[in-house]
Protein backbone atom coordinates (compact mmCIF):
# COMPACT_ATOMS: atom_id res chain seq x y z
CA UNK A 1 0.00 0.00 0.00
CA UNK A 2 1.51 3.32 -1.02
CA UNK A 3 -0.88 5.60 0.86
CA UNK A 4 0.73 8.17 3.16
CA UNK A 5 -0.76 10.24 5.98
CA UNK A 6 -2.25 13.36 4.42
CA UNK A 7 -0.65 16.73 5.06
CA UNK A 8 -2.61 19.72 6.28
CA UNK A 9 -1.65 21.87 3.30
CA UNK A 10 -1.35 21.28 -0.40
CA UNK A 11 1.84 23.40 -0.34
CA UNK A 12 3.42 21.36 2.50
CA UNK A 13 6.77 19.58 2.18
CA UNK A 14 6.80 15.81 1.84
CA UNK A 15 6.83 15.02 5.55
CA UNK A 16 4.12 17.37 6.79
CA UNK A 17 3.30 21.03 7.19
CA UNK A 18 5.20 23.98 8.58
CA UNK A 19 8.83 25.02 8.24
CA UNK A 20 11.96 23.79 10.03
CA UNK A 21 12.75 25.58 13.28
CA UNK A 22 16.04 27.33 13.85
CA UNK A 23 18.33 25.85 16.48
CA UNK A 24 17.57 28.77 18.79
CA UNK A 25 13.83 28.16 18.47
CA UNK A 26 14.35 24.50 19.36
CA UNK A 27 16.42 25.47 22.39
CA UNK A 28 13.71 27.94 23.50
CA UNK A 29 10.97 25.35 23.07
CA UNK A 30 13.04 22.78 24.93
CA UNK A 31 13.65 25.19 27.81
CA UNK A 32 9.93 26.00 28.06
CA UNK A 33 8.65 22.41 28.05
CA UNK A 34 11.38 21.37 30.53
CA UNK A 35 10.43 24.14 32.96
CA UNK A 36 8.59 23.24 36.14
CA UNK A 37 4.84 22.50 35.84
CA UNK A 38 4.78 23.16 32.08
CA UNK A 39 2.94 20.29 30.39
CA UNK A 40 1.86 20.15 26.74
CA UNK A 41 -1.45 21.96 27.18
CA UNK A 42 0.09 24.70 29.32
CA UNK A 43 2.91 24.98 26.78
CA UNK A 44 0.45 25.64 23.95
CA UNK A 45 -1.57 28.09 26.05
CA UNK A 46 1.66 29.96 26.78
CA UNK A 47 2.60 30.10 23.08
CA UNK A 48 -0.92 31.26 22.21
CA UNK A 49 -0.78 34.05 24.78
CA UNK A 50 2.86 35.14 24.51
CA UNK A 51 3.60 34.31 20.85
CA UNK A 52 7.12 32.96 21.45
CA UNK A 53 8.71 30.55 23.91
CA UNK A 54 11.21 33.20 24.99
CA UNK A 55 8.39 35.63 25.86
CA UNK A 56 6.62 32.86 27.76
CA UNK A 57 9.70 31.95 29.79
CA UNK A 58 10.13 35.55 30.86
CA UNK A 59 6.53 35.57 32.11
CA UNK A 60 6.67 32.26 34.05
CA UNK A 61 7.70 33.62 37.49
CA UNK A 62 4.99 36.27 37.61
CA UNK A 63 2.31 33.93 36.26
CA UNK A 64 3.13 31.29 38.89
CA UNK A 65 3.09 33.93 41.63
CA UNK A 66 -0.33 35.15 40.51
CA UNK A 67 -1.56 31.57 40.62
CA UNK A 68 -0.67 31.31 44.31
CA UNK A 69 2.84 29.87 44.18
CA UNK A 70 5.09 31.06 47.02
CA UNK A 71 8.49 29.74 45.89
CA UNK A 72 10.11 30.78 42.62
CA UNK A 73 9.30 28.46 39.71
CA UNK A 74 12.23 26.59 38.18
CA UNK A 75 12.89 27.58 34.58
CA UNK A 76 15.07 25.25 32.52
CA UNK A 77 18.47 26.86 31.99
CA UNK A 78 20.04 27.55 28.63
CA UNK A 79 22.95 25.30 29.58
CA UNK A 80 20.72 22.34 30.45
CA UNK A 81 18.75 22.65 27.21
CA UNK A 82 21.86 22.91 25.07
CA UNK A 83 23.42 19.92 26.85
CA UNK A 84 20.31 17.78 26.26
CA UNK A 85 20.16 18.63 22.57
CA UNK A 86 23.91 18.16 22.04
CA UNK A 87 23.90 14.81 23.87
CA UNK A 88 21.05 13.54 21.71
CA UNK A 89 22.77 14.69 18.53
CA UNK A 90 26.04 13.07 19.59
CA UNK A 91 24.16 9.78 19.84
CA UNK A 92 22.85 10.24 16.32
CA UNK A 93 19.41 11.49 17.33
CA UNK A 94 17.40 14.62 16.65
CA UNK A 95 14.59 16.73 18.08
CA UNK A 96 11.44 17.52 16.13
CA UNK A 97 9.10 20.33 17.18
CA UNK A 98 5.37 20.19 16.59
CA UNK A 99 4.81 22.40 13.56
CA UNK A 100 7.96 21.29 11.74
CA UNK A 101 7.62 19.31 8.48
CA UNK A 102 9.04 16.13 10.05
CA UNK A 103 6.48 16.06 12.87
CA UNK A 104 3.86 13.36 12.11
CA UNK A 105 0.51 14.78 11.03
CA UNK A 106 -1.48 12.16 12.93
CA UNK A 107 0.14 13.03 16.25
CA UNK A 108 0.06 16.76 15.53
CA UNK A 109 -3.74 16.58 15.39
CA UNK A 110 -4.25 15.75 19.09
CA UNK A 111 -4.60 18.66 21.49
CA UNK A 112 -1.94 17.48 23.97
CA UNK A 113 0.65 16.31 21.46
CA UNK A 114 4.24 16.55 22.73
CA UNK A 115 5.71 19.94 21.77
CA UNK A 116 9.05 18.20 21.16
CA UNK A 117 9.90 14.61 20.22
CA UNK A 118 13.36 13.16 20.76
CA UNK A 119 14.06 10.66 17.97
CA UNK A 120 16.73 8.07 17.32
CA UNK A 121 16.77 5.98 14.17
CA UNK A 122 14.91 6.91 11.00
CA UNK A 123 12.70 10.00 11.61
CA UNK A 124 11.00 9.65 8.21
CA UNK A 125 9.11 6.58 9.42
CA UNK A 126 7.12 8.76 11.81
CA UNK A 127 5.24 10.21 8.85
CA UNK A 128 4.49 6.82 7.31
CA UNK A 129 0.99 5.37 7.94
CA UNK A 130 1.00 3.46 11.21
CA UNK A 131 -1.04 0.82 13.03
CA UNK A 132 -0.57 0.47 16.79
CA UNK A 133 -0.62 -2.81 18.70
CA UNK A 134 -1.12 -2.94 22.48
CA UNK A 135 -1.99 -5.65 24.96
CA UNK A 136 -1.06 -7.68 28.02
CA UNK A 137 2.46 -7.79 29.38
CA UNK A 138 1.80 -11.31 30.67
CA UNK A 139 0.45 -12.39 27.30
CA UNK A 140 -0.26 -16.00 26.46
CA UNK A 141 1.79 -17.85 23.85
CA UNK A 142 -1.26 -17.88 21.59
CA UNK A 143 -1.66 -14.10 22.00
CA UNK A 144 2.00 -13.47 21.17
CA UNK A 145 1.88 -15.69 18.09
CA UNK A 146 -1.34 -14.12 16.84
CA UNK A 147 0.09 -10.63 17.39
CA UNK A 148 3.11 -11.54 15.28
CA UNK A 149 0.89 -12.94 12.54
CA UNK A 150 -1.34 -9.82 12.43
CA UNK A 151 1.55 -7.35 12.61
CA UNK A 152 3.54 -9.07 9.85
CA UNK A 153 0.60 -8.92 7.44
CA UNK A 154 -0.25 -5.31 8.34
CA UNK A 155 3.41 -4.35 7.88
CA UNK A 156 3.53 -6.12 4.52
CA UNK A 157 0.59 -3.94 3.41
CA UNK A 158 2.68 -0.79 3.91
CA UNK A 159 2.10 0.26 7.50
CA UNK A 160 4.68 0.89 10.19
CA UNK A 161 4.02 -1.04 13.40
CA UNK A 162 3.80 1.16 16.48
CA UNK A 163 3.81 0.17 20.15
CA UNK A 164 5.17 1.01 23.59
CA UNK A 165 8.06 -1.47 23.96
CA UNK A 166 6.44 -3.24 26.93
CA UNK A 167 6.78 -6.97 27.54
CA UNK A 168 4.32 -9.34 25.90
CA UNK A 169 2.13 -8.03 23.08
CA UNK A 170 4.15 -4.82 22.50
CA UNK A 171 7.41 -6.75 22.12
CA UNK A 172 5.81 -9.29 19.77
CA UNK A 173 4.46 -6.49 17.56
CA UNK A 174 7.82 -4.72 17.36
CA UNK A 175 9.62 -7.93 16.44
CA UNK A 176 7.09 -8.64 13.70
CA UNK A 177 7.60 -5.16 12.24
CA UNK A 178 11.40 -5.09 12.35
CA UNK A 179 12.03 -5.84 8.67
CA UNK A 180 9.57 -3.24 7.36
CA UNK A 181 9.83 -0.61 10.08
CA UNK A 182 8.53 -0.20 13.62
CA UNK A 183 8.19 2.75 16.01
CA UNK A 184 8.79 2.27 19.74
CA UNK A 185 7.47 4.95 22.09
CA UNK A 186 9.38 5.26 25.36
CA UNK A 187 7.68 6.18 28.64
CA UNK A 188 10.96 7.60 29.95
CA UNK A 189 13.96 9.08 28.20
CA UNK A 190 15.76 7.53 25.24
CA UNK A 191 18.76 6.70 27.43
CA UNK A 192 16.54 4.47 29.59
CA UNK A 193 15.33 1.29 27.90
CA UNK A 194 12.36 -0.17 29.77
CA UNK A 195 12.11 -3.06 30.24
CA UNK A 196 15.93 -3.48 30.24
CA UNK A 197 15.80 -6.86 28.51
CA UNK A 198 14.53 -5.12 25.37
CA UNK A 199 17.89 -3.42 24.82
CA UNK A 200 18.80 -5.72 21.90
CA UNK A 201 15.35 -5.11 20.39
CA UNK A 202 15.88 -1.35 20.56
CA UNK A 203 19.21 -1.70 18.76
CA UNK A 204 17.57 -3.84 16.07
CA UNK A 205 14.75 -1.31 15.60
CA UNK A 206 17.27 1.46 14.90
CA UNK A 207 19.54 -0.69 12.71
CA UNK A 208 16.69 -1.86 10.49
CA UNK A 209 15.23 1.56 9.73
CA UNK A 210 12.72 1.99 12.51
CA UNK A 211 12.71 4.65 15.22
CA UNK A 212 12.52 5.08 18.98
CA UNK A 213 10.91 8.26 20.29
CA UNK A 214 10.23 9.99 23.60
CA UNK A 215 8.95 13.28 24.95
CA UNK A 216 10.80 13.10 28.28
CA UNK A 217 14.43 14.15 29.00
CA UNK A 218 17.10 11.67 27.90
CA UNK A 219 17.90 10.23 31.33
CA UNK A 220 14.31 10.27 32.65
CA UNK A 221 13.41 7.12 34.61
CA UNK A 222 9.79 6.20 33.81
CA UNK A 223 7.26 6.54 36.62
CA UNK A 224 3.78 5.02 36.82
CA UNK A 225 2.15 8.22 35.56
CA UNK A 226 4.43 8.34 32.53
CA UNK A 227 2.97 5.22 30.92
CA UNK A 228 -0.49 6.74 30.25
CA UNK A 229 1.36 9.75 28.78
CA UNK A 230 3.21 7.37 26.48
CA UNK A 231 -0.06 5.64 25.57
CA UNK A 232 -1.52 8.86 24.17
CA UNK A 233 1.45 9.12 21.81
CA UNK A 234 1.00 5.52 20.66
CA UNK A 235 -2.69 6.17 20.01
CA UNK A 236 -2.06 9.56 18.39
CA UNK A 237 0.52 8.28 15.92
CA UNK A 238 -1.64 5.52 14.48
CA UNK A 239 -4.55 5.38 12.07
CA UNK A 240 -5.89 2.40 14.01
CA UNK A 241 -5.15 0.69 17.32
CA UNK A 242 -5.33 -3.08 17.85
CA UNK A 243 -5.87 -4.50 21.35
CA UNK A 244 -4.89 -8.12 21.99
CA UNK A 245 -5.33 -9.64 25.46
CA UNK A 246 -6.04 -6.88 27.96
CA UNK A 247 -7.39 -7.06 31.49
CA UNK A 248 -10.44 -5.03 32.45
CA UNK A 249 -8.20 -2.50 34.22
CA UNK A 250 -5.11 -2.02 32.08
CA UNK A 251 -3.06 0.54 30.23
CA UNK A 252 -4.24 -1.00 26.97
CA UNK A 253 -7.79 0.13 27.68
CA UNK A 254 -6.47 3.64 28.36
CA UNK A 255 -4.84 3.53 24.93
CA UNK A 256 -8.12 2.35 23.40
CA UNK A 257 -10.10 5.12 25.07
CA UNK A 258 -7.65 7.74 23.87
CA UNK A 259 -7.61 6.35 20.33
CA UNK A 260 -11.39 6.53 20.27
CA UNK A 261 -11.30 10.15 21.50
CA UNK A 262 -8.85 10.97 18.71
CA UNK A 263 -11.15 9.50 16.08
CA UNK A 264 -8.97 6.46 15.39
CA UNK A 265 -10.41 3.02 14.66
CA UNK A 266 -10.15 0.70 17.67
CA UNK A 267 -9.86 -3.03 17.01
CA UNK A 268 -10.12 -5.85 19.54
CA UNK A 269 -9.34 -9.56 19.31
CA UNK A 270 -11.99 -11.60 21.16
CA UNK A 271 -10.91 -14.14 23.74
CA UNK A 272 -12.21 -16.73 26.16
CA UNK A 273 -14.55 -15.32 28.83
CA UNK A 274 -12.70 -17.55 31.28
CA UNK A 275 -9.36 -15.79 30.71
CA UNK A 276 -8.89 -12.54 32.71
CA UNK A 277 -6.58 -11.33 29.93
CA UNK A 278 -9.57 -11.23 27.59
CA UNK A 279 -11.96 -9.34 29.85
CA UNK A 280 -10.79 -5.98 28.52
CA UNK A 281 -10.86 -6.90 24.83
CA UNK A 282 -14.29 -8.51 25.13
CA UNK A 283 -15.53 -5.40 26.95
CA UNK A 284 -14.21 -3.19 24.14
CA UNK A 285 -16.15 -5.24 21.59
CA UNK A 286 -19.32 -4.86 23.69
CA UNK A 287 -18.72 -1.10 23.72
CA UNK A 288 -18.38 -0.87 19.95
CA UNK A 289 -14.77 -1.67 19.06
CA UNK A 290 -14.30 -3.52 15.78
CA UNK A 291 -13.98 -7.26 16.28
CA UNK A 292 -11.16 -8.73 14.19
CA UNK A 293 -9.97 -12.23 13.41
CA UNK A 294 -7.51 -11.43 10.62
CA UNK A 295 -5.19 -8.70 9.36
CA UNK A 296 -7.49 -8.12 6.42
CA UNK A 297 -10.18 -6.95 8.87
CA UNK A 298 -7.79 -4.20 9.99
CA UNK A 299 -6.73 -3.20 6.49
CA UNK A 300 -10.29 -3.04 5.17
CA UNK A 301 -11.43 -0.83 8.05
CA UNK A 302 -8.49 1.58 7.92
CA UNK A 303 -8.37 2.06 4.14
CA UNK A 304 -11.19 4.70 4.03
CA UNK A 305 -9.50 6.81 6.75
CA UNK A 306 -6.29 7.15 4.76
CA UNK A 307 -7.80 10.07 2.86
CA UNK A 308 -8.83 11.96 5.99
CA UNK A 309 -7.11 15.20 6.89
CA UNK A 310 -5.74 15.48 10.40
CA UNK A 311 -6.21 18.99 11.76
CA UNK A 312 -4.04 20.27 14.60
CA UNK A 313 -5.40 22.45 17.37
CA UNK A 314 -2.58 24.96 16.99
CA UNK A 315 -0.62 26.37 14.10
CA UNK A 316 2.44 26.79 16.38
CA UNK A 317 4.15 29.20 14.02
CA UNK A 318 5.80 31.65 16.38
CA UNK A 319 5.16 35.31 15.66
CA UNK A 320 8.51 37.09 15.84
CA UNK A 321 7.03 40.56 15.41
CA UNK A 322 8.27 43.34 17.68
CA UNK A 323 4.74 44.51 18.44
CA UNK A 324 3.97 41.84 21.03
CA UNK A 325 1.78 42.89 23.96
CA UNK A 326 0.80 40.49 26.74
CA UNK A 327 -2.91 39.96 27.35
CA UNK A 328 -4.44 41.77 30.30
CA UNK A 329 -4.09 40.23 33.75
CA UNK A 330 -7.33 38.66 35.06
CA UNK A 331 -9.01 40.27 38.06
CA UNK A 332 -8.68 38.54 41.42
CA UNK A 333 -12.46 38.10 41.47
CA UNK A 334 -12.16 36.19 38.16
CA UNK A 335 -9.66 33.79 39.71
CA UNK A 336 -11.78 33.30 42.81
CA UNK A 337 -14.90 32.47 40.80
CA UNK A 338 -12.99 29.96 38.68
CA UNK A 339 -11.23 28.28 41.62
CA UNK A 340 -14.47 28.02 43.59
CA UNK A 341 -16.00 26.05 40.70
CA UNK A 342 -13.16 23.48 40.65
CA UNK A 343 -13.17 20.10 42.33
CA UNK A 344 -10.83 17.13 42.64
CA UNK A 345 -13.04 15.37 40.09
CA UNK A 346 -12.21 16.33 36.48
CA UNK A 347 -14.73 18.84 35.15
CA UNK A 348 -15.47 20.09 31.65
CA UNK A 349 -13.67 23.35 30.95
CA UNK A 350 -16.50 24.85 28.90
CA UNK A 351 -18.91 24.26 31.79
CA UNK A 352 -16.47 25.86 34.21
CA UNK A 353 -16.17 28.94 31.99
CA UNK A 354 -19.95 29.32 31.80
CA UNK A 355 -20.35 28.86 35.56
CA UNK A 356 -17.62 31.39 36.35
CA UNK A 357 -18.86 33.76 33.61
CA UNK A 358 -15.42 34.07 32.03
CA UNK A 359 -14.35 34.51 28.43
CA UNK A 360 -11.87 32.00 26.87
CA UNK A 361 -8.91 34.41 26.90
CA UNK A 362 -9.27 35.15 30.62
CA UNK A 363 -9.82 31.48 31.40
CA UNK A 364 -6.66 30.44 29.56
CA UNK A 365 -4.55 32.92 31.54
CA UNK A 366 -6.04 31.65 34.81
CA UNK A 367 -5.39 28.05 33.75
CA UNK A 368 -1.76 28.90 33.01
CA UNK A 369 -1.35 30.60 36.40
CA UNK A 370 -2.87 27.71 38.35
CA UNK A 371 -0.96 25.08 36.35
CA UNK A 372 2.36 26.81 36.94
CA UNK A 373 1.51 27.16 40.62
CA UNK A 374 0.97 23.40 40.77
CA UNK A 375 -2.67 23.68 41.86
CA UNK A 376 -4.53 22.03 38.96
CA UNK A 377 -4.20 19.09 36.60
CA UNK A 378 -5.27 19.04 32.95
CA UNK A 379 -6.99 15.92 31.58
CA UNK A 380 -7.94 14.60 28.16
CA UNK A 381 -11.38 15.53 26.90
CA UNK A 382 -10.90 19.23 27.80
CA UNK A 383 -11.23 18.60 31.55
CA UNK A 384 -9.45 20.05 34.55
CA UNK A 385 -9.31 19.24 38.28
CA UNK A 386 -7.70 20.40 41.50
CA UNK A 387 -4.59 18.52 42.57
Amino acid sequence: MSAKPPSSSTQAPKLGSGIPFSRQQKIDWLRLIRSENVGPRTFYDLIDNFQTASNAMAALPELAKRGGRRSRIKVCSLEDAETELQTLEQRGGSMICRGEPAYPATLRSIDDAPPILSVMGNPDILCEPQVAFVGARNASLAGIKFTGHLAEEVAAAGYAITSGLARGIDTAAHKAGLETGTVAVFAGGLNVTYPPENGPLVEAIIEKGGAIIAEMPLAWQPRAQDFPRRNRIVAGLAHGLVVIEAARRSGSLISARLANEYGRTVFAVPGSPLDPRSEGTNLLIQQGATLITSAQDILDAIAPSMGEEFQGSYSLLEDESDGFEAKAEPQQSDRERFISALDHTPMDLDELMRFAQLDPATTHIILIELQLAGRIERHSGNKVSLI
Side-chain angles (χ1 to χ4, degrees), residues 6 10 14 41 54 86 110 204 214 241-242 262 283 300 313 316 320 347 352 360 380:
T10 57
K14 178 181 178 182
R41 289 188 178 88
S54 59
Q86 288 171 3
I110 71 174
L241 182 133
V242 183
Y262 302 155
L283 176 63
D300 290 344
S313 301
L316 301 181
E320 301 289 357
M347 304 179 69
L352 288 169
S380 62

Side-chain angles (χ1 to χ4, degrees), residues 289-300:
T290 301
L291 184 155
I292 59 167
T293 58
S294 70
Q296 194 60 48
D297 294 335
I298 301 170
L299 300 174
D300 290 344

Side-chain angles (χ1 to χ4, degrees), residues 13 18 39 43 52 62 86 88 100 126 161-162 165 181 235 240 244 262 273 301 306 330 349 352 358 372:
F43 179 98
T52 70
E62 179 61 25
Q86 288 171 3
L88 178 62
E100 289 194 284
L126 299 180
I161 303 301
T162 302
L165 201 69
I244 304 171
Y262 302 155
M306 293 307 298
L349 184 55
L352 288 169
L358 297 172
L372 294 176

